[in-house]
Amino acid sequence: MENPLQLKCLNHISLVCRSVEKSVDFYQNILGFFPVKRPGSFDFSGAWLFNYGIGIHLLQSDNPDSMPKIGGINPKNNHISFQCESMALLEKKLKELNIEYVTSGVEEGGIRVDQLFFHDPNGYMIELCNCDILPVTPLPVDSIHSSCSLTNRNVRRLRQQEQQVQLQ
């Protein structure tokens, strides 16, 4: 698989917040992130947190009242997903914290993945799952669906590039 931009890993996500303080409390005390030093040269309010190999950069909204209202929990919306060890423990903890959530699941090849979705204080959806039990299986180039951005012409171009690399 080609890596044209020489990417290494996900570094961080940035989230615009109604309240950085409430968001720090949530990401620290609910999801286990810890605050890290943020460059002092920024001229806007925010906070940086880190854990699990990724950073979360919280940015204070210039106009919190104009941020979208928090809607219902829909697993098909944009979300951040974290793998966990015990779905039962998670569900128990969220009930104790009185955090509204929905459960879902997916099954493939006899393997069931359990999912739990809820919102952070800003309405960003969080998924907690045992997704690591589902194998990551790369698709052959021939099976890329037409809904993907790669067209047949791009697939042919990629194959040609792979062949050229193999010949070198």
Side-chain angles (χ1 to χ4, degrees):
M1 168 81 38
E2 189 177 344
N3 185 359
L5 299 180
Q6 301 301 302
L7 301 180
K8 297 190 309 186
C9 65
L10 176 66
N11 181 269
H12 72 273
I13 60 168
S14 290
L15 303 172
V16 176
C17 303
R18 287 179 172 79
S19 165
V20 168
E21 292 77 21
K22 286 181 182 177
S23 298
V24 166
D25 181 64
F26 175 86
Y27 282 93
Q28 188 172 0
N29 295 316
I30 306 298
L31 295 181
F33 281 80
F34 56 90
V36 295
K37 184 170 175 29
R38 182 175 176 255
S41 61
F42 284 129
D43 62 354
F44 54 91
S45 298
W48 284 10
L49 299 111
F50 186 83
N51 205 352
Y52 318 112
I54 63 164
I56 294 183
H57 295 183
L58 303 173
L59 313 171
Q60 179 62 52
S61 172
D62 291 335
N63 190 356
D65 295 332
S66 71
M67 289 183 66
K69 301 284 185 231
I70 298 174
I73 300 169
N74 180 353
K76 293 186 282 182
N77 280 345
N78 296 329
H79 58 272
I80 308 165
S81 180
F82 297 95
Q83 295 183 75
C84 67
E85 293 183 30
S86 169
M87 294 300 291
L89 180 65
L90 279 175
E91 198 162 356
K92 180 181 180 221
K93 185 69 173 171
L94 291 178
K95 283 179 184 176
E96 288 172 7
L97 295 168
N98 204 27
I99 294 177
E100 182 183 351
Y101 64 91
V102 298
T103 58
S104 188
V106 64
E107 192 168 324
E108 177 68 27
I111 299 171
R112 176 163 172 84
V113 171
D114 295 307
Q115 303 163 295
L116 196 145
F117 295 87
F118 58 98
H119 286 134
D120 81 352
N122 307 291
Y124 297 113
M125 191 159 10
I126 308 293
E127 173 192 5
L128 303 176
C129 68
N130 58 346
C131 299
D132 57 336
I133 64 172
L134 193 63
V136 176
T137 308
L139 293 174
V141 176
D142 291 343
S143 69
I144 296 175
H145 301 288
S146 61
S147 64
C148 293
S149 62
L150 293 175
T151 62
N152 286 336
R153 184 179 65 221
N154 288 339
V155 170
R156 282 193 297 274
R157 182 181 54 78
L158 286 172
R159 283 189 183 146
Q160 289 170 348
Q161 288 175 347
E162 288 174 3
Q163 289 172 349
Q164 289 172 351
V165 168
Q166 291 172 352
L167 293 174
Q168 292 176 352

